[in-house]
Amino acid sequence: MTDDMVPDEKGYFGSFGGRFVPEILAPALDELTEAYRQAKKDPDFQRELYRLLAEWAGRPTPLYEAVNFAEKLGSKARIFLKREDLLHTGAHKINNVLGQGLLAVKMGKKRIIAETGAGQHGVAVAAVCAMLKMECVIYMGEKDMARQSPNVARMQLLGAEVKPAGGENGTLKEAVNEAFRDWVASVRETHYLLGSVVGPHPFPMMVRDFQSVIGREVKEQLKTRYNRLPDYLIACVGGGSNAMGLFYPFVKEQTVKMVGVEAGGQDPASGRHAATLSMGRPGVFHGARSLLLQDADGNIAEVHSISAGLDYPGVGPEHSYLKESGRADYTAVLDKEALQAVEFLSLTEGIIPALESAHALAYTMKLAPSLKEGQIVVVNLSGRGDKDLEIIREQMEGKR
Amino acid sequence: MSRISSVFDNKKGTLLIPYLTAGYPSLQETVEAVLLLEKSGADIIELGIPFSDPLVDGVTIQQAANKALQNGVNIKMCINAVRLIRKSSSIPLIFMGYYNPILQYGLEDFCADSSSAGVDGFIIPDLPPEEAGMLEKSAFSRGLDLIYLVAPNTPDERVKYIAERSRGFLYLVSVEGVTGMRESLPPGLPEFVKRVKKHASLPLCMGFGISTKEQAGRIAQLVDGVIVGSSIICHLSGKNWRTALPAYVHELKSHFR
């Protein structure tokens, strides 16, 4: 792994990032930074992480060419799916959770807390905690507990305590708030296992590093088969961890176009969306400076997405940096386009994608007709859609 | 010398520093309550700027902030409230607020407008000194104090660093946790204060979790000022707050030696 310029030692990606936290958390973040620095170069730690990623979680994941999907869209390009949906617990989240879980053991922590939106991160944390014999508390917005109830049951079966956050409208933002409040009160014995490339330094850097196994595998897989780089990388962005994991190993390959797809919700013009990079302004929230959906007074906006995992008003600082520098492009698709993409992939390829990942597919469907012969597109299929069946059925019945 | 520093210089006993959220239950009542608190013996006032996601606050202050936001209160209105208070009061006033609303208002404008309205300093719990360079520049040039916090788990070296940067006083967080009333305070507070004193020459005030007269009395023996927040908010939530609040302040102060 190469050491890169970003972030700097204060956790800045250009003007984004940093560490805006209550003083009580400063020692824990220093401890975490140091523990991670050591683990990164510790061969025993890396060996154990890669053993678990392989034997327990199922890495490497396949890179599958979606021939039917491409053909039906009239695409001349070759479209590949990075099958993170096949991982244990159903999404890319497990890559980061295993890394931080082992780090927490190394730091002597006895208790893990985490936030979850769709429940994919929560399930991954609950599973890793069971395996590592750690006490586990998951904060989840009440609205998300209702709309992703199968994941609540899975977390409980895995021995985690699921605590509701934020009242009946509570979503990911409120879950992060409550996790931070818990951490402020429990920091000596507890590790906060943040699930995305957000939060104070070192989280955005560390989570990116743990997730970049996705992009490294893609690079290797394409090199072995075709001895070339991809033309496009496409991934959905909520906090942005699956996108950052896919993009990061390609950032310096200037010929590779990178597109992050946000939740356009019902209608970006109406304010019922979660398209932070497309519509946000710089601000400081949940420990870092990044783009942010907020009102004129700097209060955090109420956002909306059909997908609980993208329903968040902030975004990882490195994405703000990649947008500002022009290295990556960001766009948004609507709830209904994501739903269409779920149906389309299910029928063409026999794969039910998560609503989150369906945003990346929906954009790919729009892009497909304009692609050239022989171009290679890699879409990160970050999670599977089993958890969304109820939402999808409701929406489809509503239409028929 | 700032108004905050001179209150410490001239103090006879431990100072009482009530916190209230601007706009709870209404902005007009906030102005009235500040004046009443001053008359009842409060020494410095901490005025909270409401924010949608107050990360270090417990339920009581979260709810007060929500109510204030429903009342439409923003920084501009908080500054106007200070202007009203200043017509008849010279009590030191500190804005306590989270960083993002201040950043969106504009750091330079925030300091200029606060200063001209008669604010004396700021407490920003999610802005550690490492990230505060820009605000310090705007604040210090106008004689506004920026008060930093230290926690029981802050290492010695960092206590020293923060104490050197803090102006007005140093805010000691009594508990490892969010704001809000508690039945008991953690043990080890005398040792915590002793440890901080080794590294800090400015006045020390303690807050978080202090509500009963017994708790306040014990803390008053350790530090120069006692900060009481959630419990003040509770006393403001009843219809009879105009009698309850002064009674509560008298009760607290009677336990200060």
Side-chain angles (χ1 to χ4, degrees), chain B residues 97-161:
Chain B
Y98 289 83
Y99 190 46
N100 195 53
I102 294 168
L103 191 64
Q104 301 307 321
Y105 190 91
L107 301 183
E108 188 62 20
D109 286 349
F110 178 67
C111 292
D113 295 352
S114 296
S115 169
S116 79
V119 174
D120 300 292
F122 309 129
I123 297 170
I124 305 172
D126 59 349
L127 187 70
E130 287 88 345
E131 303 283 1
M134 300 268 282
L135 183 64
E136 282 185 355
K137 229 173 110 190
S138 300
F140 294 168
S141 69
R142 293 181 170 84
L144 291 160
D145 289 327
L146 194 51
I147 294 141
Y148 290 112
L149 300 91
V150 294
N153 66 344
T154 309
D156 282 3
E157 218 167 280
R158 203 168 155 79
V159 169
K160 190 162 178 261
Y161 166 71

Side-chain angles (χ1 to χ4, degrees), chain A residues 12 19 23 177 181 188 294, chain B residues 53-54 100 131 158 176:
Chain A
Y12 274 92
R19 187 189 275 184
E23 191 50 45
N177 287 351
R181 288 184 184 123
R188 289 183 202 249
Q294 53 186 322
Chain B
D53 297 82
N100 195 53
E131 303 283 1
R158 203 168 155 79
E176 299 192 9

Side-chain angles (χ1 to χ4, degrees), chain A residues 79-139:
Chain A
I79 298 171
F80 291 83
L81 305 178
K82 180 60 175 167
R83 299 291 311 274
E84 295 297 292
D85 62 313
L86 292 177
L87 281 171
H88 180 41
T89 69
H92 73 290
K93 293 290 185 186
I94 200 80
N95 302 324
N96 164 51
V97 175
L98 271 173
Q100 284 196 52
L102 291 177
L103 208 52
V105 171
K106 222 171 120 92
M107 290 189 294
K109 303 288 181 183
K110 302 274 179 268
R111 178 174 175 264
I112 299 271
I113 56 171
E115 82 295 341
T116 197
Q120 291 305 109
H121 179 57
V123 169
V125 173
V128 166
C129 285
M131 193 249 307
L132 295 177
K133 304 190 202 77
M134 295 268 223
E135 187 188 336
C136 178
V137 175
I138 306 290
Y139 290 93

Side-chain angles (χ1 to χ4, degrees), chain A residues 53-68:
Chain A
L53 282 171
E55 297 172 7
W56 188 76
R59 296 215 77 90
T61 59
L63 186 68
Y64 169 73
E65 182 167 7
V67 176
N68 301 337

